[in-house]
């Protein structure tokens, strides 16, 4: 039966403030416990990390309505992170630490991960920035990984409050210089202690040999060549030192316009078709320069478009697809659904979940990205045409679309090493501006757009729909998204290879010291122990094509809160299609002029797309062949593990996908043991491919948001929205209805 405290003494929508006032200071709580008072929690510092400021007697609140339960400890700020040091860790069983990160603790926030800082003044929440005239009694920190921290400063000394609040605001919001990032401090201090993972065989694409290897792997070496014309970045600082262009393209053409207007090879399909990208030429007003540009592009187009042998379709992503502003606006609305301050706020939003989710537009943007990738795939697979992606810089939307196409068409990109190599090729060497898009330097908020996160969310849709096709898990994608804000890895902290090499080169000129050895995010051993790394690998991954393809649909897992919009007709995206084959259209587009009137009608394209899409989904899936996602309304879902993992009310104890996975692994082990007995093998000669990690053994302690959910923080709230409590009757009726809800959910 539900207690009165749950329904708020009358079933109202607002929980009243507690009337009890404690006159016991937190530092006096353990005065009779000598051992507790003498215990000091140690601050673990990384090499090069320095303590900047700290405050004692800080309460870290638990996100449980207004009960104000908290843990007393110390709040510190270093040049790497904000950390809360409490004595709650001693109360936890080691088994409860399900997935421990060796770099970032449960109560640690890297400075780059801080999204917004709020202060509470007389029960009013206000955004904090700049110099403060008055300091708050409570501090609320919203993180980019969607964690929410509440700290009470009411019992902290006034001088300590000023230092810690001012320090946190300054070191998380003030603009920074690149060389002042902790990345360089860590690399300098850890010259002799950091080591790359010897098991990491990710292709970095920083040598000519890597590009030649990729050409051979994709069988594209007959039509395309790796060039070193940009070695030492003599031609263009935006392009990598090495890249691939069509064999028929003279290298001297690359020297014109600093690499702009050049078709850059991305990937080749086994039928000989290729995916390329091209950045637009600088916009000019002078007629003479425009004529030169037109002649140049005319020559480029004739080089790559030679019907009937080589036919190129162009896809303009700058004017016929998403805008960066659309992506940023949608995600800003979307993330607010998960930055929950307390349980009451969660349940109050539950009744408007669908409308809030739809109005954000984030799922629709994911659908449009997947649909665009399928359109490109249809061109390469069904029409046997090369595709040229066009974008102003060819480093944002081009990265998303080209990467998704390769994940769908190339099974190598669905392995862990293949996926990491894909990110290195298309994103790191492709010149995606991670430093600006993640706003790592806090210099320009307008440049911050979650482009890479959008890509990971699109990949998650594929992983969720076709689990056996991927060697990595959704946990891998989640921790990869978290790694965007850990400044000990160089992967996501530069705008281009040139910027990285330039800054490292200045350091390496010192012949008396060892050159800086920056870690990459692919060195997973730095963050996780081997046992935890097992959760990054999918034990159900299909390594070889199976003869029996009758079971094609992946498992569908039930969640407490529905994670997709109801099946309704999706919003129609703006009409878009491929350009005509005439050279003049391509030229006008690359010169920066809008030519929407000249674009072909999308009717024919839509018919081809629908036929291709329906035909593939009508057949059994080949997990080592072409892979297409479902993009109908209800099939695009919320990435629950990433977005809901810090909300206790959103997890299903002992249920969800992880429970199903645990049972499947147990069954697979039993089958293999029986097979061994049949073969008269009394002991295992090789390790089980589907062996369950120790963390998955005890399914009774798991939750649907494993391995991130903290079971001890589970809320006792019912699975009902608080805004509807007035009409539910008395407590017994409410409890009865909750039981009925649970029974129906198990059917």
């Amino acid at each position: 039966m539900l207690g009165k405290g749950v329904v708020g003494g009358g079933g109202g929508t607002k929980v009243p403030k507690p009337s009890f006032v404690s006159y016991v200071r937190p530092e006096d709580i353990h005065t009779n416990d000598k051992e507790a008072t003498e215990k000091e929690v140690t601050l673990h510092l990384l090499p090069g990390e320095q303590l900047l400021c700290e405050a004692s007697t800080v309460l870290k609140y638990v996100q449980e309505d207004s009960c104000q339960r908290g843990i007393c400890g110390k709040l510190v700020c270093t040049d790497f992170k904000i950390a809360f040091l409490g004595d709650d860790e001693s109360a936890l069983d080691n088994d409860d630490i399900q997935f421990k990160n060796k770099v970032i603790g449960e109560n640690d926030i890297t400075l780059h991960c801080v999204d917004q800082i709020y202060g509470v003044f007389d029960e009013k929440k206000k955004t904090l920035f700049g110099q403060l005239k008055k300091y708050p009694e409570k501090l609320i920190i919203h993180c980019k990984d969607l964690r929410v921290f509440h700290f009470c400063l009411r019992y902290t000394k006034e001088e300590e409050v000023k230092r810690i609040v001012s320090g946190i605001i300054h070191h998380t919001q003030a603009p920074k210089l690149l060389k002042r990032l902790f990345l360089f401090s860590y690399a300098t201090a850890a010259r002799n202690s950091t080591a790359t993972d010897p098991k990491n065989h990710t292709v970095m694409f920083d040598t000519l040999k890597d590009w030649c290897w990729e050409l051979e792997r994709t069988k594209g070496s007959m039509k395309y060549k790796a060039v070193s014309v940009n070695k030492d970045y003599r031609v263009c600082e935006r392009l990598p030192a090495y890249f691939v262009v069509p064999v028929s393209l003279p290298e001297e053409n690359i020297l014109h316009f600093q690499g702009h207007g050049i078709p850059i090879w991305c990937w080749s399909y086994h039928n000989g078709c290729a995916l390329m990208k091209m950045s637009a030429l600088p916009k000019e007003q002078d007629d003479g320069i425009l004529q030169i540009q037109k002649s140049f592009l005319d020559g480029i187009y004739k080089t790559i478009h030679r019907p009937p042998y080589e036919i190129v379709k162009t896809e303009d992503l700058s004017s016929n697809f998403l805008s960066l502003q659309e992506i940023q606006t949608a995600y800003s609305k979307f993330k607010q659904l998960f930055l929950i301050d307390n349980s009451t706020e969660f349940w109050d939003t539950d009744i408007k979940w669908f409308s809030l989710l739809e109005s954000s537009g984030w799922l629709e943007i994911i659908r449009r990205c997947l649909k665009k990738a399928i359109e490109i795939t249809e061109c390469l697979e069904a029409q046997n045409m090369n595709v040229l992606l066009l974008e102003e810089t060819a480093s944002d939307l081009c990265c998303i679309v080209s990467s998704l196409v390769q994940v769908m068409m190339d099974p190598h990109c669905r392995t862990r090493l293949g996926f990491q190599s894909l990110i290195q090729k298309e994103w790191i060497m492709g010149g995606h501006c991670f430093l600006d898009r993640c706003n790592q330097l806090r210099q320009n908020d307008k440049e911050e757009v979650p482009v890479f996160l959008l890509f990971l969310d699109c990949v998650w849709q594929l992983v969720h729909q076709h689990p056996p096709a991927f060697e990595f898990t959704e946990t891998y994608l989640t921790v990869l998204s978290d790694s965007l804000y850990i400044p000990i890895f160089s992967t996501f902290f530069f705008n281009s290879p040139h910027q990285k090499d330039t800054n490292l080169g200045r350091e390496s000129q010192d012949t008396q010291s060892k050159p800086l050895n920056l870690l990459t995010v692919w060195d997973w051993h730095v963050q996780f122990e081997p046992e935890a790394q097992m959760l990054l690998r999918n034990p159900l991954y299909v390594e070889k094509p199976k003869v029996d393809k009758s079971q094609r649909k992946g498992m569908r897992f039930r969640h407490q809160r529905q994670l997709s919009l109801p099946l309704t007709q999706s919003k129609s995206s703006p009409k878009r299609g491929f350009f005509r084959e005439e050279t003049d259209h391509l030229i006008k587009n690359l010169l920066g002029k809008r030519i929407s009137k000249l674009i072909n009608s999308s009717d024919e394209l839509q018919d081809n797309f629908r036929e291709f899409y329906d035909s593939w989904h009508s057949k059994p899936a080949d997990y080592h062949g072409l892979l297409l996602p479902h993009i109908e309304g209800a099939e695009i879902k919320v990435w629950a593990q990433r977005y809901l993992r810090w909300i206790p009310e959103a997890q299903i104890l002992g249920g969800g996908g992880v429970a199903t996975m645990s049972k499947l692994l147990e069954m697979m082990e039993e089958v293999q043991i029986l097979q061994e007995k049949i073969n008269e093998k009394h002991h295992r000669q090789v390790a089980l491919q589907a062996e369950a990690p120790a963390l998955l053994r005890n399914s009774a302690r798991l939750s649907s948001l494993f391995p991130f959910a903290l079971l001890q923080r589970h809320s006792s709230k019912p699975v009902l929205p608080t805004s509807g409590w007035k009409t539910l009757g008395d407590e017994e009726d409410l409890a009865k209805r909750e039981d009925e809800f649970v029974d129906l959910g198990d059917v």
Side-chain angles (χ1 to χ4, degrees):
M1 180 178 293
L2 299 176
K4 292 182 179 179
V6 174
V7 296
T13 60
K14 187 175 182 180
V15 179
K17 299 179 183 178
S19 58
F20 176 75
V21 179
S22 173
Y23 295 95
V24 181
R25 291 172 59 85
E27 62 266 30
D28 298 331
I29 293 176
H30 296 298
T31 52
N32 295 326
D33 191 342
K34 185 176 180 180
E35 295 182 1
T37 55
E38 294 177 352
K39 181 176 180 179
E40 286 287 338
V41 180
T42 305
L43 173 64
H44 299 284
L45 297 175
L46 295 175
E49 185 178 4
Q50 296 181 351
L51 177 65
L52 301 177
C53 52
E54 59 183 311
S56 303
T57 324
V58 175
L59 284 179
K60 174 178 173 285
Y61 283 144
V62 176
Q63 294 176 354
E64 290 282 350
D65 288 328
S66 56
C67 61
Q68 305 298 294
R69 291 191 297 110
I71 302 161
C72 186
K74 182 185 295 185
L75 186 62
V76 303
C77 180
T78 73
D79 56 350
F80 169 63
K81 65 177 181 286
I82 301 166
F84 177 78
L85 310 176
D87 59 0
D88 60 315
E89 295 182 2
S90 60
L92 295 177
D93 191 341
N94 289 333
D95 293 336
D96 289 333
I97 305 176
Q98 299 175 342
F99 191 59
K100 185 177 180 180
N101 190 309
K102 297 193 293 182
V103 178
I104 303 297
E106 177 190 341
N107 293 322
D108 294 344
I109 315 167
T110 66
L111 301 182
H112 295 277
C113 192
V114 174
D115 191 11
Q116 291 288 340
I117 302 175
Y118 301 93
V120 177
F121 303 85
D122 300 325
E123 303 300 326
K124 293 182 179 180
K125 178 178 169 182
K126 298 180 180 179
T127 305
L128 300 183
F129 55 89
Q131 294 290 333
L132 301 181
K133 296 182 179 179
K134 182 180 179 182
Y135 291 86
E137 57 188 31
K138 295 180 184 178
L139 193 67
I140 302 175
I141 300 178
H142 286 186
C143 305
K144 293 183 179 180
D145 61 3
L146 304 182
R147 289 181 295 170
V148 178
F149 287 87
H150 295 250
F151 299 107
C152 175
L153 308 174
R154 189 176 301 163
Y155 307 104
T156 309
K157 295 179 181 179
E158 184 177 353
E159 288 302 316
E160 292 185 0
V161 171
K162 292 181 179 179
R163 282 198 299 269
I164 193 67
V165 174
S166 299
I168 289 175
I169 292 175
H170 174 74
H171 292 290
T172 58
Q173 296 182 354
K176 301 177 179 62
L177 297 175
L178 177 60
K179 296 301 290 287
R180 297 299 299 272
L181 290 180
F182 180 74
L183 174 71
F184 294 95
S185 301
Y186 177 81
T188 302
R191 286 180 188 270
N192 299 319
S193 59
T194 58
T196 57
D197 187 354
K199 297 181 181 180
N200 177 21
H201 301 294
T202 303
V203 182
M204 306 303 289
F205 291 98
D206 53 359
T207 65
L208 192 65
K209 182 180 178 180
D210 289 345
W211 288 98
C212 292
W213 176 86
E214 180 71 356
L215 277 173
E216 290 296 329
R217 187 188 71 81
T218 60
K219 296 179 173 57
S221 56
M222 294 294 293
K223 299 179 180 179
Y224 299 89
K225 61 182 178 181
V227 295
S228 57
V229 66
N230 198 39
K231 187 178 180 180
D232 299 327
Y233 307 100
R234 296 187 297 261
V235 177
C236 177
E237 297 179 356
R238 177 183 54 85
L239 293 173
Y242 311 98
F243 51 90
V244 176
V245 296
V247 171
S248 56
L249 182 71
E251 290 193 16
E252 55 266 22
N253 284 0
I254 304 176
L255 305 178
H256 297 291
F257 305 111
Q258 297 183 328
H260 291 276
I262 298 298
I264 306 295
W265 176 86
C266 297
W267 176 77
S268 289
Y269 195 37
H270 59 68
N271 65 1
C273 296
L275 179 64
M276 297 174 285
K277 61 183 177 182
M278 180 187 290
S279 60
L281 291 176
K283 296 182 179 180
E284 296 287 348
Q285 301 297 328
D286 184 84
D287 292 338
I289 298 179
L290 285 173
Q291 186 61 38
I292 295 175
Q293 290 182 344
K294 181 178 179 180
S295 300
F296 173 75
L297 291 176
D298 181 63
I300 294 294
Y301 189 73
K302 289 179 178 178
T303 300
I304 62 176
H305 181 70
R306 296 175 295 173
Y309 306 105
E310 293 289 334
I311 300 177
V312 176
K313 280 196 172 182
T314 58
E315 182 68 22
D316 179 21
L317 301 180
S318 293
S319 61
N320 300 313
F321 193 42
L322 297 167
S323 69
L324 296 181
Q325 183 60 45
E326 284 181 88
I327 297 173
Q328 176 62 21
T329 301
Y331 185 71
S332 296
K333 295 178 181 178
F334 178 73
K335 70 180 181 181
Q336 295 304 320
L337 299 176
F338 312 102
L339 292 169
I340 303 297
D341 284 340
N342 51 56
S343 299
T344 301
E345 184 177 339
F346 176 86
W347 294 113
D348 283 345
T349 61
D350 192 66
I351 200 169
K352 347 178 240 191
W353 168 255
F354 286 131
S355 60
L356 292 173
L357 183 59
E358 184 177 21
S359 63
S360 72
W362 181 250
L363 296 186
E364 178 62 24
I365 283 180
I366 293 173
R367 185 191 334 278
R368 290 176 63 182
C369 289
L370 292 172
K371 186 174 185 293
K372 179 61 67 178
I374 296 174
E375 290 175 1
I376 305 301
T377 299
E378 188 270 337
C379 247
L380 295 166
E381 166 77 17
Q383 299 187 35
N384 293 322
M385 291 184 178
N386 297 326
V387 176
L388 178 64
L389 302 177
L390 308 175
E391 190 185 9
E392 184 175 351
T393 61
S395 60
D396 287 307
L397 301 177
C398 275
C399 295
I400 293 179
V401 175
S402 64
S403 298
L404 286 177
V405 168
Q406 293 175 64
V407 170
M408 292 179 187
M409 302 187 72
D410 190 345
H412 174 70
C413 297
R414 301 196 285 268
T415 66
R416 198 167 92 176
L417 288 178
F419 186 72
Q420 293 174 176
S421 300
L422 172 68
I423 293 175
Q424 282 292 141
K425 180 180 66 170
E426 296 298 330
W427 294 83
I428 310 303
M429 293 299 158
H432 180 66
C433 299
F434 281 101
L435 202 64
D436 293 339
R437 294 293 177 250
C438 298
N439 200 16
Q440 307 284 27
L441 298 181
R442 302 284 181 173
Q443 292 182 353
N444 190 349
D445 293 342
K446 294 182 180 179
E447 293 290 327
E448 183 173 4
V449 185
V451 179
F452 186 68
L453 178 60
L454 173 59
F455 165 67
L456 293 182
D457 208 330
C458 291
V459 174
W460 179 86
Q461 304 293 331
L462 283 159
V463 172
H464 178 73
Q465 293 181 23
H466 305 286
F470 291 85
E471 188 185 22
F472 50 87
T473 63
E474 68 167 341
T475 302
Y476 169 87
L477 295 175
T478 301
V479 297
L480 181 57
S481 70
D482 292 341
S483 301
L484 283 168
Y485 310 108
I486 302 180
I488 67 172
F489 306 110
S490 62
T491 309
F492 304 127
F493 278 82
F494 294 99
N495 281 337
S496 65
H498 168 263
Q499 187 183 51
K500 177 181 177 181
D501 292 348
T502 300
N503 284 277
L504 293 183
R506 294 171 183 170
E507 292 287 340
S508 61
Q509 289 176 0
D510 185 5
T511 57
Q512 303 297 321
S513 60
K514 184 179 179 181
L516 289 180
N517 182 24
L518 297 183
L519 295 171
T520 71
V521 72
W522 317 127
D523 296 316
W524 292 109
H525 72 289
V526 177
Q527 294 192 67
F528 303 106
E529 297 291 350
E531 182 178 338
Q533 289 186 53
M534 292 180 66
L535 295 176
L536 307 183
R537 186 183 186 279
N538 178 16
L540 302 182
Y541 171 63
V542 180
E543 291 192 355
K544 295 180 181 180
K546 303 298 181 179
V547 177
D548 182 13
K549 301 179 182 178
S550 58
Q551 298 180 354
R552 65 160 308 204
K553 290 188 177 180
M555 297 172 294
R556 297 173 182 268
F557 305 139
R558 182 170 300 183
H559 296 274
Q560 182 174 347
R561 174 177 275 191
Q562 188 169 335
L563 301 178
S564 61
L565 293 173
L567 184 56
T568 56
Q569 186 174 0
S570 59
K571 296 179 180 178
S572 59
S573 55
K575 283 189 175 182
R576 50 194 181 275
F578 294 111
F579 291 105
R580 297 181 187 273
E581 294 180 356
E582 286 84 345
T583 307
D584 192 48
H585 295 174
L586 174 64
I587 294 172
K588 288 184 178 180
N589 175 66
L590 292 177
L591 294 179
K593 297 182 179 180
R594 298 182 59 86
I595 58 168
S596 57
K597 296 180 181 179
L598 303 177
I599 297 175
N600 281 332
S601 170
S602 62
D603 294 341
E604 181 180 352
L605 175 63
Q606 293 298 329
D607 292 340
N608 293 337
F609 167 81
R610 176 52 62 181
E611 181 180 356
F612 176 73
Y613 178 82
D614 292 341
S615 174
W616 187 89
H617 284 290
S618 66
K619 303 173 184 177
D622 178 6
Y623 292 129
H624 272 259
L626 179 64
L627 194 71
L628 299 184
H630 289 279
I631 59 173
E632 292 81 6
E635 297 293 346
I636 305 299
K637 300 182 183 297
V638 173
W639 183 0
Q641 188 190 69
R642 184 184 194 277
Y643 300 121
L644 292 169
R645 54 184 160 156
W646 313 121
I647 305 176
E649 294 77 14
Q651 60 180 301
I652 307 172
L653 301 184
V658 68
T660 306
M661 174 71 74
S662 178
K663 294 299 181 183
L664 283 173
L665 292 174
E666 291 177 10
M667 291 176 61
M668 292 179 70
E669 287 193 65
E670 291 177 5
V671 169
Q672 184 151 350
I673 292 173
L674 290 174
Q675 184 65 49
E676 290 175 351
K677 290 182 178 180
I678 292 175
N679 297 334
E680 297 181 350
K681 293 182 179 180
H682 301 291
H683 62 278
R684 302 186 182 187
Q685 297 179 352
V686 295
L688 284 173
Q689 176 188 337
E691 184 176 1
L695 296 176
L696 277 171
R697 297 289 184 181
N698 189 358
S699 60
R701 299 179 64 83
L702 302 179
S703 85
S704 58
L705 302 181
F706 175 87
F708 300 97
L710 303 176
L711 300 186
Q712 67 272 15
R713 289 179 52 219
H714 179 64
S715 172
S716 59
K717 286 286 186 181
V719 191
L720 288 170
T722 57
S723 55
W725 285 355
K726 286 185 178 181
T727 61
L728 294 178
D730 57 17
E731 298 168 17
E732 293 184 2
D733 184 43
L734 182 61
K736 182 179 179 181
R737 288 169 182 257
E738 184 191 9
D739 293 338
E740 291 175 355
F741 178 88
V742 173
D743 292 340
L744 289 173
D746 295 335
V747 174

